[in-house]
Amino acid sequence: MTTKLKRLALTLATLTASGLFLPGAFASDPVKGGTLIYLEQQAHTVLYPPAGGFYPNGGILNQITDKLTYQNPKTLEIEPWIAESWTVNADATEYTFKIRPSVTFSDGTPLDAAAVAKNYDVFGLGNKELKQPVSEVINNYARSEVVDPLTVKFYFKKPSPGFLQGTSVIGSGLVAASTLALPFEQLGDATKIIGSGPFVVDSETIGKELNLKAREEYAWGPAKLEHQGRAYLDGIKYIITGEDSVRIGALLAGQADFIRQVQAYDEKQVEAQDYQIYAPSTRGVNNSVVFRPDNPLVADIKVRKALLHATDTKEIVTTLFSANYPQATSIIASTALGYRDISAKLAFDPEKAKTLLDEAGWTVGANGLRQKDGKELVLTAYESLPQPQNKETLQLVAQQWGKLGVKLTVLAGDSGSRVVDDLDPLKTPVSPAMVGRADPDVIKSQYYPKNRDVLRQKGGQSDKIQSFADDKLNGLLEALTSEPDREKRLAIAGEVQDYVVDQAYAIPIFEEPQAFAGAPYVQGIAFEAVGRPSFYSTWLAER
């Protein structure tokens, strides 16, 4: 047993002695009581709801906030939650919601039409004074109108067909006015996040531990869920446990109940002890490698296409991952709305790759590296810590590219210069990327310069860009999020998938799930549509 595992074991033994492990007697029906011990790989960063895309953030927000609507994770249909009903006009520029009566935030203030309007005015327009950014899931927002105490109407500058689904996502968790009044930099303190959800924050040791407790008066879960009323659990204890082996060891030793980020190579030992692996799809933009064409080394489409065809994604998936990580056949998951199979364009073809590099003027030098005009084809990427086995993935990509005379240097994801370097294409021409959301608008979130800007375009997130911008791509992304006709919108989604790969801006590798493991006595685990856990209906049976 490692020193860290021993320390964790002692901590968890103390929790057991203090009564935090309180599984109910074995029963076929849910039992109330007990605290779920949940080991999280990374500490949360900020809990401003639109920042909930980072999975440690979303895993907390999903317990302490409610959303206007609920997206059924099986059917992807939008169902009532805090909104009892809604209407949308023909061109998707006006949405009206009827709010469920008698809902309150945990500070006792009402979650009524005015509170919903205030949330969406901030999420849709941002707050420059408080440095609260605009939500990436809300497009073309104009204003709200409180029609009456339980009716709110939203207006959009042009069609916003993805808005209804956007009201169901983690980034649209509703919070009290006191939370919205805080500057962005204070919203990393979980104790300041006041939601209306089934759990409330009890205490926090920032970066190490978070304790949630059930809200006794909670009575407004998603309308179609079988479970209504108070959560079954008394509480949830999050413990930040960075090492994979420590999380797995604690789970299998009976010292933890549920863990996030189970690596593929650990799945067999978990299942061998009759523990459960959960791998819900994120249904969004696939785990990919993207290029920053503002860097001269990858500005030539022939170079990007060569590297695309030099990448053997099947080898990556079969070497590093399991059946829970399907090989990508487009830039978005096969389970995503608007998916188009473009696997033929992603074919591994090393001979074609060599030809393209030759045509681009990159010849193999005496040292085995491709050279042109006195420069070597040497590229750099930082690993992404939240993505499963990303370092190993990039290292395998580097081996594959190396066979063509292209060097990819993989740098540590916790490097102090990473954040600054990532904004500069000259320093990071290659980057890992993915984002989950069960709506075609997710493609805009990934590639649009005013959103995540993964390609690093001029006018986007970085002031280091010299000239690169793709007006055609940006026009397609704007059309995608503004087309009210469903079939036309899905056709645009397909067109964007083709265009991104035709330009070799991205190399999709695999469809990324969120991988969890739970003890067999943990029952009622659920996930929202893109893989974040919900513990509202979770209960503990006898161990």
Side-chain angles (χ1 to χ4, degrees), residues 16 96 105 128 139 175 233 276 299 304 329 335 370 377 428 432 460 469 475 504 517 525-526 536 541:
T16 305
T96 304
F105 293 106
K128 291 184 178 180
N139 294 285
V175 293
L233 293 168
Q276 179 72 43
R304 300 196 301 272
T329 53
T335 54
R370 295 270 176 172
L377 196 45
T428 53
I525 294 290
Y536 172 49

Side-chain angles (χ1 to χ4, degrees), residues 289-291 293 304 455 468 470 473 499-501 503-507:
V289 168
V290 299
F291 295 105
R304 300 196 301 272
L455 304 180
F468 174 68
D470 190 327
L473 174 62
Y499 184 78
V500 168
V501 172
Q503 294 298 310
Y505 286 148
I507 306 172

Side-chain angles (χ1 to χ4, degrees), residues 263-265 267 277 279 316-327 389 513:
Q263 302 297 351
Y265 51 75
E267 290 181 8
I277 294 290
I316 294 170
V317 170
T318 56
T319 301
L320 297 176
F321 298 100
S322 70
N324 290 321
Y325 300 75
Q327 183 181 355
Q389 296 199 79

Side-chain angles (χ1 to χ4, degrees), residues 97-119:
F97 294 87
K98 291 289 185 180
I99 307 303
R100 196 168 178 167
S102 304
V103 179
T104 60
F105 293 106
S106 60
D107 63 358
T109 58
L111 201 176
D112 54 12
V116 172
K118 176 64 175 175
N119 273 260

Side-chain angles (χ1 to χ4, degrees), residues 299-349:
D300 188 337
I301 189 174
K302 288 186 176 180
V303 172
R304 300 196 301 272
K305 283 190 172 183
L307 296 176
L308 184 154
H309 291 299
T311 305
D312 186 348
T313 57
K314 183 177 181 180
E315 180 187 40
I316 294 170
V317 170
T318 56
T319 301
L320 297 176
F321 298 100
S322 70
N324 290 321
Y325 300 75
Q327 183 181 355
T329 53
S330 182
I331 64 170
I332 61 174
S334 58
T335 54
L337 293 172
Y339 160 79
R340 177 180 292 183
D341 185 347
I342 54 173
S343 52
K345 297 183 178 186
L346 301 171
F348 173 56
D349 190 340

Side-chain angles (χ1 to χ4, degrees), residues 466-517:
Q466 297 299 310
S467 61
F468 174 68
D470 190 327
D471 293 337
K472 180 177 179 179
L473 174 62
N474 296 337
L476 285 170
L477 295 173
E478 290 167 357
L480 175 66
T481 57
S482 302
E483 174 52 66
D485 183 281
R486 175 182 169 83
E487 294 307 314
K488 290 180 180 178
R489 183 170 177 243
L490 295 182
I492 295 169
E495 189 176 351
V496 176
Q497 291 165 69
D498 279 323
Y499 184 78
V500 168
V501 172
D502 288 343
Q503 294 298 310
Y505 286 148
I507 306 172
I509 298 175
F510 60 85
E511 299 181 12
E512 184 172 328
Q514 277 295 297
F516 302 81

